[in-house]
Every structure is written in C-alpha cells, then in structure tokens.
Amino acid sequence: MAVKGVIEVEVELCKGCGVCIDNCPTETIALSKSVNGRGYNFAYPENPESCTGCTNCAIVCPDTVITVYRAKV
Amino acid sequence: MEQNIIKQEKNKVYQKSKLLIDRVMHYCPGCSHGTVHKILAETIEELGIQEKTIGISPVGCAVLLYEYIDIDWQEAAHGRAPALATAVKRLYPDKYVFTYQGDGDLASIGTGEIIHACNRGENITVIFINNAIYGMTGGQMAPTTLEGMQTSTTPRGRSHIETGFPIKITEMIAMLPGVVYATRQSVDTASAVRKTKKAFLKAFKSQELKKGTSFIEIVSTCNSGWKMTPVEANHWMRENMFPVFPVGDIKDLI
C-alpha cells in the first residue's frame, strides 16, 4: 500500500507562474510547451506516477487552479 | 486506470474555497495577493463566519478584492481603511471586521490612521501586505523599499541619506499597548502558507475576546515591479527581504 495522489489543473485559469513547480517535492509538475486560451504555458502533471498528493502545489497556487486527490492504493 | 480510482470525490484533499468567487483574478502571474486572498477565504470558511464578516478593501492592486471573496465589503479611501474599520466595528461590535492594506497604503499615506487605530486598541484585524514597492502605479519607491533596491523612482538604488530607511511598521505597532497580536509571515512556500493561515485563524478568533487589535504583516513579492519571474522573486525575497523583515511573532498576548 502506497499513498498516491492525483492533481487536476484548471488549464484555462492557470497563469503559468511556476510557483507550484518550485514547491513540488517530487518533481511531478512541469510547464507545458503549448499554451492555453490566454497565452500562458500552463502547469500540468508531467510525472503523474510520482505524485504523493501532498497538496503543496495547490496551497501555494495564487489562482487556486489545482485540486488534489489522495488515496492508498 | 489507477488515476481514475484515486480521482473520486471521497479522496479529494484540497479544493478551491467556496467563498472564492469564480472570477479570474486581475493579478500578474505568481502575485502573492492571490495566495493571501485564498488563505483569507479559507479562514473565514473554516470559522463559519461568512455572514458575520465585513472586510475593508484598500487602494492599490488589491482594490478589487471585494470582487473575489463572497462576504460584505466596504471600500476605503487611500490609507483610511483602519478609520472605516473603526466605524464599522463600533456600529457592529459582534461582526468580524478586518482591513486588507498594502505598504503604499498602510505604511505611507495611512500611517496616521493605522497607528491611532492600533493605539485605541480597536478590536479589528489588520492584514498588511509588504512587497517593498508601489506595485499598481509602476514600481515606485515605497517607505518599505530596501536600501540599495532599484525602483523606477530610485534608479540608482534607495539611499537613506535622501529617502530614509525601510520602515518597520509591525515592530512600531507591536509597541502600542492596544495591540494584542503582531506577527510577520510570508506565503512563498507551502509551510509558510500554512503558518500564515494559523496566524489568520488566531487573529480572527482574537476578535471574540475583545482585547485589542491583531496585526498580520505578510512579506510578499511583486515580480512585475521587481522585474523578475515569480519563482526568482520568491528566492530574492528570502535572500534580501527576510534579513530586514524577519518572519515570526513579534507580540502575542492572546
């Protein structure tokens, strides 16, 4: 049993500031190469399998675009 | 497949506060204001005081704060939020009243208001965002600008001979007997955000005790005004602002 997490980013609301990436302890998140409707390189889970659901990214997100799920699987 | 198992309503551990109105904030990417607004909404939601809270929004970047959190608001003239909060609290002593002010608002034009409101021990909470610059008007020098820091009005760096030293408002406020809680926090990392939220909860709870003013300074970034990326601005803040504005509780009589 390991604790696993999943993050969900509201792509259209993300401004691509990168603060979540700086605060992610497992290097799960990265900025996408494509842009959203407002021209920002949005954050997305590049290595989803390494996410532990610690919620750090969501807590520091200034625009609160990240929702976090966590479970033992 | 595994992702779909985890992604269920019962496993949700973090989501946007219901008090935050669904509207894209006008702030620059990575602005500390957004994080502080979020903590504020979460605090009010956790305490269950949405119907009993009245906020006073400032002049500055956060002037549109009343558009983002679903509580009652008043908009004050520049620097006059503590005076308006005094009036609101005296008319409605059972409401939770707070002001939200920046350093150009609170530490410059509104210094008289904040010092006298704190000296009277008004039973309000003051949230003070200190980013060492006038962010909204184009990055001019503020009273809290660090020595040697370049701004659009101090292109060779601030010199105390011409413009004085960075003013430490929270230390000044903490000396006043009317203040029960004075603390300085930041929102650059997840642990800092958690600590700031604890300070918010404590400050709002202290209004129930009717002992005096609670004052929270948040050392913040203005990446547009500082001409850095949001992540660089957070690192710059830790290196340069924390030695002048050390984080932690300055006074706690609760």
Side-chain angles (χ1 to χ4, degrees):
Chain A
M1 294 279 271
V3 179
K4 286 269 179 193
V6 172
I7 63 163
E8 199 176 46
V9 182
E10 274 201 67
V11 169
E12 283 307 315
L13 300 180
C14 178
K15 293 180 185 164
C17 67
V19 175
C20 53
I21 300 168
D22 197 39
N23 274 282
C24 177
T26 56
E27 295 180 6
T28 302
I29 315 173
L31 283 187
S32 70
K33 289 190 175 64
S34 55
V35 294
N36 62 14
R38 299 189 305 147
Y40 292 117
N41 295 91
F42 53 89
Y44 78 108
E46 191 185 34
N47 307 308
E49 65 286 348
S50 65
C51 182
T52 57
C54 71
T55 71
N56 277 10
C57 54
I59 284 172
V60 296
C61 175
D63 293 282
T64 326
V65 301
I66 305 177
T67 307
V68 185
Y69 301 85
R70 183 172 55 213
K72 278 184 180 173
V73 284
Chain B
M1 188 60 209
E2 194 182 56
Q3 293 232 336
N4 290 337
I5 298 167
I6 300 169
K7 218 160 140 180
Q8 290 176 37
E9 194 60 34
K10 62 176 178 157
N11 294 333
K12 198 182 268 184
V13 284
Y14 192 94
Q15 66 174 337
K16 191 173 179 172
S17 166
K18 289 184 181 68
L19 261 62
L20 278 175
I21 296 165
D22 267 333
R23 187 171 284 157
V24 181
M25 291 190 189
H26 70 283
Y27 302 116
C28 309
C31 180
S32 306
H33 272 309
T35 320
V36 180
H37 290 7
K38 169 170 67 178
I39 308 172
L40 190 54
E42 286 174 5
T43 304
I44 295 167
E45 191 181 6
E46 267 179 42
L47 293 173
I49 54 171
Q50 182 184 11
E51 298 294 324
K52 291 189 282 184
T53 307
I54 301 171
I56 317 290
S57 61
V59 171
C61 283
V63 65
L64 297 175
L65 174 50
Y66 51 75
E67 302 242 317
Y68 301 136
I69 302 180
D70 191 11
I71 54 170
D72 290 328
W73 289 97
Q74 286 253 303
E75 167 62 45
H78 202 191
R80 273 66 193 181
L84 193 52
T86 302
V88 173
K89 188 71 183 187
R90 287 186 180 198
L91 283 166
Y92 301 104
D94 295 329
K95 303 276 187 196
Y96 295 80
V97 180
F98 71 91
T99 73
Y100 185 105
Q101 301 173 265
D103 51 337
D105 188 80
L106 183 143
S108 180
I109 193 168
T111 316
E113 274 76 10
I114 190 63
I115 287 189
H116 286 288
C118 289
N119 194 41
R120 292 192 301 268
E122 296 297 343
N123 198 21
I124 56 173
T125 298
V126 178
I127 298 161
F128 169 39
I129 308 293
N130 175 8
N131 57 12
I133 208 165
Y134 279 84
M136 187 199 207
T137 50
Q140 291 86 355
M141 190 201 87
T144 45
T145 298
L146 306 180
E147 270 203 89
M149 186 172 165
Q150 287 183 332
T151 67
S152 60
T153 46
T154 56
R156 289 182 294 276
R158 182 181 189 177
S159 148
H160 69 261
I161 297 164
E162 283 173 3
T163 47
F165 295 93
I167 191 165
K168 297 189 176 188
I169 286 280
T170 310
E171 275 87 347
M172 285 164 60
I173 293 294
M175 288 197 298
L176 301 170
V179 176
V180 284
Y181 183 50
T183 184
R184 184 183 282 125
Q185 302 292 340
S186 72
V187 290
D188 56 324
T189 61
S191 65
V193 173
R194 289 189 181 100
K195 278 184 199 159
T196 308
K197 191 170 164 188
K198 271 188 193 156
F200 273 38
L201 287 164
K202 195 170 177 175
F204 275 86
K205 284 292 257 185
S206 83
Q207 289 196 30
E208 292 166 10
L209 307 171
K210 300 193 191 303
K211 277 180 164 176
T213 314
S214 43
F215 190 97
I216 304 165
E217 172 179 346
I218 295 147
V219 185
S220 308
T221 60
C222 176
N223 53 71
S224 299
W226 296 356
K227 316 268 186 268
M228 295 174 199
T229 67
V231 174
E232 279 168 10
N234 277 338
H235 289 285
W236 190 91
M237 178 182 80
R238 283 194 281 272
E239 272 171 38
N240 298 282
M241 298 235 341
F242 284 1
V244 183
F245 300 110
V247 175
D249 284 356
I250 295 160
K251 186 179 188 180
D252 186 359
L253 301 179
I254 299 169

